[in-house]
């Protein structure tokens, strides 16, 4: 924990009373209606500037001409097949990005809709990999107020002014939404965000004597693997009448039958009213998607109580041809404040015609006595039970495990949201309060920590329900269980070839099973369990000698949390990009550790798989195979995840030097933090294979891996020569982590080998790169070889996070971090931008390439985490605060709830809504290390590994897993899977 009260003089505190009248705050001091003390805040009339995208320099463009031509050709080829390329720098959205974002809606993995801070619903991600950024302006909340005596009345959309999409001119005869009352100024209305909740307070707008608070709640609840998957959100309106007259208040929720873009015009959509239990009623909007995608059903609903009456209008349109127009609907609400009760019995509407927009409305009306208070709750839910990827694979989403596979589950989701949201809030507050109440933490950090989690909802996440193994597999296994019960389970380790080229890293005898062999000619991925007979392949032979099938079936329901995907970014459409997950994974480990372990299991299986299909790599135009056995994949795919990995095809990532060490480090960190020995045994063969694979890159026998003179790591435009600080440090850390894990699993021979290599590699690394104050960028002779890389101690970050001994002397670690702080952080606009990736020792930014001169938000948080672990808390928070200042503050560039991968020195972004900034949770992890790590034996684990006289490379002896697992006391809870 941070000692003292650092930055007490400049906490970037935004107290709510600076935005809301104190008297108003006191009126809302009940039922969570008042915004919290710590939150990100904006006035609704704040200017939402357009965001500026980065551009390459003339010299960078010259260097990338050939790459650009190949990418352009590849984008066109994918488009000819009806697919979007994972990286497409040529196509731009019609809606230019602006500083309008807010807290997104819903849980994780069931599609997401974001809501801007001014109230618009935007950034639609219902179909995997597709993001429709433009707002659907018919989707609004509106308010209608009339008072006894009839002297005062107010009607307004609860969004300020003329929004994008409305146009600037209102026609008198317009029958669409521009005919509505867009009367809100927004000067006295404010937005307060603390993910997964947000508050909008209308302080006397539009009625000066009515105070309104809208609380938006989504079911993002750490360690809750049920509610956190639900596609639903609740909007709780608290009304306070400060006038002397009774006020009739009607709140209106309107929704278009659309999933963003032009989908509302495709036709075939149907609306129908519904009445559910507990006073919940509303409208279902059945949406027929295009291009063969699964249908979606929305539900908008409100809860009727003793004081609140609910009515619906199942259908209205936006053109004069509609039987009920948007203008007619608005006039009805102005006149009556509600719709006709018989609308509930109207039944389903006729399917909409192409070009016709079908909308629905729910109204909730109440009387608020003078100086009285009232609460009105609405819910929004959507049900798209099937996920279909563009190459045809189909899965059921996680929430269908609890709500079934019908689109009509939207009604039950909307009902449960309205009846359960108070419990959601209790759980959210229980999670957040210890951090929010920690006075040692800077104010900006507290709410930014939570708000950066927006990406786990809005980052294109997919959470599927993993089916039980097929019945024929279970029957087959039952026939074999007696034979296997007394059989020693052996793992034939992946043996790595030292050959170069496309066959580099090919393994033999790569099995993880009980004496089963696999088809060595198979080119296809083998990662999807029990989904499709065509692709199940070797997995149909899975069995476990230690757990009876009855136990296996019982444990599945209790332990399985499904499978999880999230995008690298909405512009880089690749699932679970692993070199970036290295930074972001701290958030999942802290909040949803079972999801994190499952992601690592997926990559462990992938390590032992090979996909021999040919791929053209765009950087050089050469060809290779899609996935090499022994190499950690860059990603789990785009158009057919789990089955077709490595969608990234700019470089051949089987030759990257950071992916395999990152896999070993993440696995060991997760293993150490969770104490899950079953997980350790499951992934151990892949850890060994990943380490053995890297042996081919130690070309001079000094124990270190060498980079190959191209950008062979996550900085994929930044060339590296020889030994590098980044990859070399990761390798040293991986050697130590692998040795520690081997020791704890009983594989002493491998532990000895890793320790021997570490003892050989460490002095070589220091001799080649340490210059007295930091580690040089690389050991080459290029103009930037002596650059100060902000990320040079990434391996030490993980070493300290895992409770392992430091890689270097404390003085060297602090010296290198001090250099990064003094140069990469403080020499860039006084520390108000974050840490620039590369800086020359003369204090000038390294402009070798696009990425060396960029500031990476997630890397900056990672550097800050390393500083915390090294005892440099003040420097850590000053470093991370630069990201807040540039991205989230009112004086920044407007990147809230869309934090990009990078920005330039002038604040221009590259790749909005990006995964890596989740690494801010690495800071929180460093501040509150898990008990399993804090309570680990203090003896240096490397000292416990006693070296034998053996020499040479990694051993290839078979290891008895039963022996290892019994020693770890975990085998009884482990379920083994065939990997290839």
């Amino acid at each position: 924990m941070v000692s003292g009260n650092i930055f007490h003089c400049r906490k970037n505190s935004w107290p709510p009373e600076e935005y809301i009248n104190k008297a108003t705050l006191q009126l809302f001091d009940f039922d969570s209606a008042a915004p919290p003390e710590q939150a990100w805040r904006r006035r609704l009339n704040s200017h939402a500037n357009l965001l500026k995208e980065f551009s390459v320099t003339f010299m960078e463009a010259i260097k990338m001409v050939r790459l650009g031509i190949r990418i352009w050709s590849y984008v066109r080829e994918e488009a000819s097949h009806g697919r979007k390329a994972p990286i497409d720098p040529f196509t731009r959205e019609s809606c230019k990005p602006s500083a309008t974002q807010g807290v997104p809606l819903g849980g994780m993995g069931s599609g997401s809709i974001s809501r801007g801070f001014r109230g618009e619903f935007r950034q639609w991600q219902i179909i995997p990999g597709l993001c429709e950024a433009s707002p659907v302006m018919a989707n609004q909340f509106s308010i209608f107020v009339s008072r006894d005596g009839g002297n005062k009345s107010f009607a307004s959309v609860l969004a300020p002014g003329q929004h994008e999409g409305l146009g600037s001119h209102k026609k008198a005869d317009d029958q669409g939404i521009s005919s509505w009352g867009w009367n809100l100024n927004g000067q006295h209305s404010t937005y307060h965000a603390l993910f997964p909740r947000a508050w909008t307070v209308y302080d006397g707008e539009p009625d000066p004597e009515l105070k309104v608070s809208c609380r938006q709640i989504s079911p993002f609840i750490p360690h809750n693997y049920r509610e956190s998957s639900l596609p639903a959100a609740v909007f709780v309106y608290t009304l306070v009448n400060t006038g002397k007259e009774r006020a009739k208040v009607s709140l209106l929720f309107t929704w278009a039958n659309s999933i963003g873009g032009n989908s509302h015009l495709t036709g075939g959509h149907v609306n129908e009213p519904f009445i559910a239990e507990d006073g919940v009623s509303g409208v279902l909007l059945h949406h027929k998607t295009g291009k063969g995608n699964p249908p979606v059903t929305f539900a908008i609903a409100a809860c009727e109580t003793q004081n609140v009456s609910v009515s619906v209008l199942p259908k209205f349109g936006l053109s004069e041809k509609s039987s009920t127009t948007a203008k007619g609907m608005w006039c009805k609400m102005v006149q009556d404040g509600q719709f006709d009760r018989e609308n509930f019995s109207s039944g389903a509407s006729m399917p909409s015609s192409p070009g016709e927009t079908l909308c629905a409305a729910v109204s909730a009306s109440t009387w608020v006595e003078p100086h009285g208070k009232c609460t009105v709750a609405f819910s929004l839910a959507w049900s798209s039970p099937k996920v279909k990827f563009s190459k045809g694979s189909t899965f059921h989403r996680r929430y269908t495990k609890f709500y079934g596979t019908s689109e009509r589950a939207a009604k039950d989701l909307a009902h449960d949201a309205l009846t359960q949201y108070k419990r959601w809030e209790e759980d959210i507050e229980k999670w957040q309060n210890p951090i929010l109440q920690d006075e040692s933490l800077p104010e900006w950090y507290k709410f930014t920590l939570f708000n950066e989690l927006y990406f786990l909802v809005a980052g294109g996440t997919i959470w599927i329900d993993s089916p039980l193994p097929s019945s024929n597999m279970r029957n087959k296994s039952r026939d074999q269980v007696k034979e296997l019960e007394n059989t020693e389970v052996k793992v034939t380790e992946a043996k790595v070839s030292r050959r170069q080229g496309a066959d580099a890293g090919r393994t033999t005898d790569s099995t993880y099973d009980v004496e089963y062999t696999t088809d060595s000619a198979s080119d296809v991925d083998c990662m999807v369990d029990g989904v499709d007979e065509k692709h199940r392949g070797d997995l149909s032979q899975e069995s476990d000698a230690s757990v009876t099938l009855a136990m296996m079936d019982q444990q599945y329901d209790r332990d399985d949390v499904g499978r999880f995907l999230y995008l690298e970014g909405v512009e880089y459409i690749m699932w679970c990009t692993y070199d970036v997950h290295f930074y972001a994974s701290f958030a999942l480990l802290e909040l949803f550790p079972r999801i994190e372990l499952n992601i690592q299991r997926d990559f462990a299986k992938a390590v032992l798989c090979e996909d021999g299909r040919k791929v053209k790599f765009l950087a050089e135009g050469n060809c290779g195979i899609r996935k090499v056995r022994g190499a950690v994949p860059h990603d789990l795919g785009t158009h057919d995840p789990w089955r077709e990995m490595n969608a990234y095809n700019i470089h051949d990532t089987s030759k990257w030097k950071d992916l395999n060490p990152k896999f070993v480090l993440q696995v060991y960190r997760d293993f150490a933090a969770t104490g899950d020995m079953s997980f350790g045994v499951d992934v151990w063969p892949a850890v060994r294979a990943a380490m053995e694979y890297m042996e081919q890159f130690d070309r001079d026998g000094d124990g270190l891996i060498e980079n190959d003179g191209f950008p062979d790591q996550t900085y994929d435009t930044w060339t590296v020569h020889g030994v590098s600080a980044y990859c070399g440090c990761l390798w040293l850390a991986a050697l130590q982590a692998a040795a520690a894990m081997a020791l704890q699993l009983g594989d002493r021979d491998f532990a000895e080998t890793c320790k021997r290599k570490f003892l050989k590699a460490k002095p070589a690394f220091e001799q080649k790169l340490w210059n007295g104050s930091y580690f040089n960028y690389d050991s080459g002779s290029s103009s930037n070889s002596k650059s100060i890389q902000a990320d040079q101690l990434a391996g030490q970050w993980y070493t300290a996070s895992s409770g392992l001994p430091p890689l270097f002397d404390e003085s060297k670690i602090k010296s290198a971090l001090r250099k990064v702080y003094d140069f990469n952080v403080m020499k860039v606009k006084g520390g108000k931008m974050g840490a620039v990736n590369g800086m020359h020792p003369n204090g000038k930014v390294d402009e070798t390439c696009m990425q060396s001169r960029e500031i990476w938000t997630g890397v900056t948080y990672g550097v800050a985490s390393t500083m915390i672990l090294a005892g440099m808390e003040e420097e850590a928070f000053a470093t991370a605060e630069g990201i807040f200042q540039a991205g989230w503050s009112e004086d920044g560039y407007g990147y809230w709830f869309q934090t990009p991968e990078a920005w330039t020195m002038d604040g221009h972004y590259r790749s909005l809504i990006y995964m890596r900034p989740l690494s801010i949770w690495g800071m929180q992890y460093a501040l509150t290390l898990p008990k399993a790590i804090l309570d680990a034996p203090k003896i240096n684990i490397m000292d416990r590994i006693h070296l034998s006289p053996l020499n040479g490379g990694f051993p290839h002896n078979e290891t008895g897993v039963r022996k290892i697992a019994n020693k770890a006391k975990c085998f009884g809870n482990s379920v083994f899977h065939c990997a290839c």
Side-chain angles (χ1 to χ4, degrees):
M1 187 59 63
V2 180
S3 58
N5 191 358
I6 65 173
F7 293 154
H8 61 278
C9 293
R10 53 183 188 95
K11 293 197 301 183
N12 269 310
S13 177
W14 297 351
E17 54 267 22
E18 291 185 8
Y19 288 75
I20 309 172
N21 185 285
K22 285 186 178 182
T24 301
L25 281 174
Q26 291 173 354
L27 291 173
F28 287 133
D29 191 20
F30 73 102
D31 194 29
S32 301
E37 286 291 323
Q38 294 90 11
W40 179 90
R41 311 185 199 280
R42 281 294 179 278
R43 299 191 188 281
L44 264 59
N45 66 344
S46 297
H47 175 61
N49 57 290
L50 292 177
L51 306 180
K52 296 181 180 179
E53 192 171 11
F54 84 107
S55 58
V56 296
T57 66
F58 176 76
M59 290 305 298
E60 289 167 352
I62 293 296
K63 292 177 183 178
M64 291 192 290
V65 165
R66 290 187 178 89
L67 171 61
I69 292 172
R70 294 188 192 107
I71 292 178
W72 180 74
S73 177
Y74 175 65
V75 168
R76 291 189 62 190
E77 179 187 352
E78 287 294 283
S80 71
H81 296 291
R83 299 190 296 262
K84 183 175 175 63
I87 301 175
D88 179 4
F90 306 105
T91 305
R92 288 290 173 264
E93 298 288 344
S94 57
C95 174
K96 293 183 179 180
S98 60
T100 54
Q101 299 288 16
V103 174
L105 305 170
M108 300 189 297
S110 296
S112 71
I113 306 164
S114 290
R115 193 171 184 226
F117 74 87
R118 296 187 299 189
E120 69 275 19
F121 294 86
R122 58 190 312 135
Q123 216 75 30
W124 300 74
Q125 297 186 77
I126 305 297
I127 297 172
L130 178 63
C131 180
E132 294 285 0
S134 298
V136 176
M137 294 307 297
N139 299 350
Q140 298 289 345
F141 284 100
S142 302
I143 192 167
F144 304 82
V145 184
S146 60
R147 294 186 177 270
D148 281 349
N151 296 325
K152 300 176 184 177
S153 62
F154 304 88
S156 179
V157 178
L158 289 174
Q162 292 291 319
H163 272 257
E164 53 191 298
L166 284 178
S168 57
H169 300 289
K170 178 178 176 179
K171 299 178 182 178
D173 60 347
D174 184 26
Q175 300 296 309
I177 61 174
S178 65
S179 64
W180 296 355
W182 298 85
N183 303 316
L184 198 77
N185 176 277
Q187 181 179 357
H188 301 293
S189 300
T190 52
Y191 181 82
H192 312 258
L194 187 66
F195 179 90
R197 296 190 292 174
W199 292 255
T200 306
V201 176
Y202 305 91
D203 193 358
E205 287 190 280
D207 182 346
E209 296 180 333
L210 186 70
K211 312 297 183 181
V212 181
S213 168
C214 172
R215 190 164 81 260
Q216 172 187 312
I217 309 150
S218 292
F220 183 97
I221 305 167
H223 308 287
N224 184 325
Y225 296 88
R226 184 184 190 278
E227 272 87 351
S228 295
S229 72
L230 304 185
V234 177
F235 305 89
V236 181
Y237 280 85
T238 302
L239 311 172
V240 180
N241 182 5
T242 61
K244 297 179 180 179
E245 301 167 322
R246 190 171 67 144
K248 181 182 180 182
V249 181
S250 297
L251 289 162
L252 177 71
F253 188 14
T254 52
W255 198 259
N257 198 322
S258 169
I259 57 171
N262 294 317
S263 62
H264 55 291
L265 300 174
T266 55
H269 313 314
V270 174
N271 292 357
E272 64 170 313
F274 72 87
I275 298 176
E277 297 177 348
D278 303 310
V280 174
S281 56
V283 181
L284 295 175
L285 299 91
H286 305 290
H287 186 85
K288 181 182 178 181
T289 59
K291 299 181 180 179
N293 287 301
V296 183
T297 293
F298 292 94
I300 56 172
C303 190
E304 189 160 294
T305 67
Q306 185 176 357
N307 301 317
V308 178
S309 62
V310 176
S311 59
V312 300
L313 182 63
K315 176 183 176 181
F316 71 89
L318 303 184
S319 70
E320 58 186 15
K321 297 179 181 179
S322 305
S323 56
T324 302
T325 65
K327 183 176 182 178
M329 182 277 299
W330 187 266
C331 292
K332 172 72 172 175
M333 285 298 299
V334 170
Q335 178 178 332
D336 299 337
Q338 60 189 17
F339 302 115
D340 299 332
R341 293 293 298 181
E342 53 264 30
N343 289 346
F344 279 113
S345 57
S346 62
S349 68
M350 293 295 292
S352 63
S353 303
E356 176 189 6
T357 301
L358 192 62
C359 302
V362 174
S363 168
S365 302
T366 186
W367 284 94
V368 187
E369 298 297 326
H371 307 292
K373 301 176 181 179
C374 187
T375 297
V376 178
F378 293 88
S379 66
L380 166 68
W382 56 97
S383 181
S384 179
K386 288 185 178 179
V387 178
K388 181 181 178 183
F389 294 99
S390 57
K391 288 194 174 180
S393 295
T394 302
F395 305 90
H396 283 121
R397 296 188 192 266
R398 167 73 175 172
Y399 78 89
T400 63
K401 184 180 183 75
F402 318 107
Y403 283 84
T405 57
S406 168
E407 292 84 18
R408 297 185 69 85
K411 180 175 73 171
D412 296 328
L413 287 160
H415 167 273
D416 290 357
L418 285 168
T419 57
Q420 299 294 322
Y421 75 86
K422 290 185 179 179
R423 182 172 55 81
W424 295 354
E425 289 196 284
E426 289 174 2
D427 291 342
I428 290 167
E429 289 173 3
K430 184 177 179 181
W431 158 47
Q432 292 184 334
N433 282 343
I435 294 173
L436 297 175
Q437 294 167 5
D438 186 347
E439 294 184 357
S440 70
L441 297 173
E443 295 295 315
W444 66 265
Y445 169 79
K446 296 177 186 180
F447 56 79
T448 307
L449 177 73
F450 293 114
N451 285 337
E452 288 284 18
L453 290 171
Y454 84 93
F455 188 84
L456 289 177
V457 172
T461 50
I462 300 292
W463 194 355
I464 67 166
D465 180 31
S466 299
L468 278 166
S470 63
S471 58
N472 65 327
M473 175 188 146
R474 293 198 297 273
N475 292 335
K476 178 177 180 181
S477 296
R478 285 191 178 95
D479 293 338
Q480 296 169 338
V481 73
K482 289 185 179 179
E483 176 186 345
L484 298 177
E485 276 180 343
N486 298 316
T487 304
E488 182 179 8
V489 183
K490 294 184 178 181
V491 178
T492 304
E493 301 298 344
K495 297 176 175 60
V496 181
S497 169
R498 295 294 295 270
R499 286 178 292 163
Q500 302 300 308
D503 291 332
R506 205 181 284 269
T507 64
T508 59
D509 248 334
S510 178
T511 63
Y512 188 13
D513 205 357
V514 185
E515 301 302 331
Y516 281 120
T517 57
T518 61
D519 181 3
S520 60
S522 174
D523 287 340
V524 185
D525 164 272
C526 60
M527 294 183 63
V528 179
D529 301 332
V531 174
D532 187 333
E533 290 294 339
K534 176 181 177 184
H535 290 280
R536 186 177 290 120
D538 299 324
L539 291 177
S540 65
Q541 300 178 4
E542 293 177 359
S543 60
D544 175 27
S546 65
V547 183
T548 68
L549 269 296
M551 289 174 62
M552 183 175 170
D553 287 353
Q554 290 170 4
Q555 287 180 347
Y556 189 90
D557 259 354
R558 183 172 67 251
D559 297 336
D560 179 64
V561 295
R563 304 177 83 171
F564 190 85
L565 298 170
Y566 63 148
L567 291 174
E568 179 177 337
V570 296
E571 297 177 37
Y572 296 163
I573 308 171
M574 295 164 283
W575 302 109
C576 294
T577 299
Y578 200 71
D579 55 306
V580 184
H581 182 68
F582 175 79
Y583 298 83
S585 59
F586 283 92
L588 286 174
L589 178 60
E590 280 274 279
L591 307 176
F592 298 95
R594 289 161 67 188
I595 289 178
E596 165 62 10
L597 295 187
N598 277 2
I599 290 175
Q600 300 302 345
R601 285 187 173 99
D602 280 345
F603 276 92
K605 291 179 182 180
V607 169
L608 300 177
C609 289
E610 182 159 304
D611 185 341
R613 288 172 286 184
K614 295 294 182 182
V615 173
K616 181 178 181 179
F617 300 112
L618 303 180
E620 300 296 334
N622 59 313
C623 291
I625 67 172
R626 179 172 290 277
K627 168 67 177 67
V628 175
R629 187 176 284 116
V632 174
H634 173 273
D635 55 79
L636 292 178
T638 291
H639 303 304
D640 199 5
W642 295 297
R643 293 186 176 127
E644 187 179 273
M645 295 171 283
N646 281 335
Y648 177 91
N649 61 349
I650 293 178
H651 297 292
D652 180 355
T653 59
S654 70
K655 298 177 182 178
W656 276 20
K657 309 307 183 296
D658 63 336
L659 288 170
N660 282 38
K662 284 176 174 176
F663 170 70
V664 175
L665 289 171
Q666 289 183 71
V667 162
Y668 183 74
R669 177 205 58 189
D670 296 352
F671 176 64
T674 63
D676 190 332
M677 289 294 181
S678 172
F679 166 74
V681 173
D682 284 348
V683 301
W684 178 242
V687 171
R688 283 197 58 157
M691 292 298 291
E692 290 166 5
Y693 182 85
M694 296 303 292
E695 211 174 354
Q696 63 185 298
F697 301 121
D698 177 11
R699 298 189 174 89
D700 57 6
D702 63 354
L704 286 171
I705 58 172
E706 283 87 40
N707 294 86
D708 284 325
F710 75 101
D712 49 357
Q713 25 80 45
T714 193
Y715 300 90
D716 59 351
T717 69
W718 199 358
T719 298
V720 199
H721 301 273
V723 176
S724 70
Y726 184 67
C727 295
C729 187
L730 289 171
W731 175 243
L732 287 178
L735 284 169
Q736 185 168 247
M741 192 168 182
L743 182 68
Q744 292 173 66
L745 291 177
D747 195 344
R748 288 191 169 273
D749 288 346
F750 196 78
E752 285 188 29
T753 302
C754 289
K755 179 177 179 179
R756 185 177 289 107
K757 283 185 171 290
F758 176 83
L759 294 176
K760 187 177 184 180
K762 177 182 173 180
F765 180 85
E766 293 183 322
Q767 187 269 323
K768 291 181 178 182
L769 296 180
W770 182 251
N771 61 23
S773 59
Y774 65 95
F775 294 100
N776 290 335
Y777 176 68
D778 64 29
S779 63
S781 56
S782 63
S783 61
N784 71 323
S785 288
K786 288 183 170 52
S787 284
I788 308 161
Q789 185 179 12
D791 215 1
Q792 63 186 268
L793 289 179
Q796 172 57 29
W797 175 24
Y798 262 72
T799 294
S801 296
S802 305
L804 292 170
L807 296 177
F808 315 107
D809 293 342
E810 182 182 348
S811 60
K812 288 182 177 176
I813 293 170
K814 287 193 171 184
S815 174
L817 290 173
R818 169 57 64 180
K819 194 75 172 182
V820 169
Y821 179 74
D822 289 342
F823 280 69
N824 302 59
V825 177
M826 298 309 296
K827 288 186 181 295
V828 180
K829 296 193 176 180
K832 294 184 178 181
M833 294 284 287
V836 69
N837 283 337
M839 178 74 78
H840 288 298
N842 63 2
K844 293 184 177 180
V845 172
D846 183 346
E847 299 190 351
T848 303
C849 67
M850 174 183 74
Q851 291 176 346
S852 64
R853 61 183 173 86
E854 287 180 330
I855 293 157
W856 284 14
T857 54
V859 166
T860 299
Y861 288 142
V863 170
S865 305
T866 313
M867 290 174 173
I868 290 171
L869 292 162
M872 301 171 63
E873 292 94 344
E874 187 165 337
E875 293 86 348
F877 281 99
T879 296
E881 188 182 357
I883 301 302
F884 168 79
Q885 292 277 9
W888 290 82
S889 75
E890 288 192 89
D891 298 325
Y893 298 104
Y895 296 129
W896 43 83
F897 300 102
Q898 52 189 332
T899 315
E901 156 75 316
W903 50 64
T904 59
M905 306 295 288
D906 51 6
H908 295 184
Y909 73 89
R910 179 169 64 81
S911 187
L912 294 170
I913 311 181
Y914 196 78
M915 181 199 293
R916 203 181 319 248
L918 284 171
S919 60
I920 191 173
W921 279 86
M923 296 177 66
Q924 190 61 24
Y925 185 92
L927 291 166
T928 55
L929 285 172
K931 190 174 186 296
I933 290 177
L934 291 174
D935 292 349
K938 300 306 179 187
I939 184 171
N940 187 328
I941 199 162
M942 296 295 276
D943 293 341
R944 293 167 56 195
I945 303 172
H946 304 291
L947 298 180
S948 66
L950 295 175
N951 291 306
F954 289 110
H956 297 292
N957 61 299
E958 294 183 349
T959 303
V961 177
R962 179 180 290 278
K963 181 179 178 181
I964 295 173
N966 284 339
K967 189 174 186 67
K969 298 181 180 179
C970 65
F971 193 77
N973 294 322
S974 176
V975 178
F976 283 82
H977 300 288
C978 167
C980 263

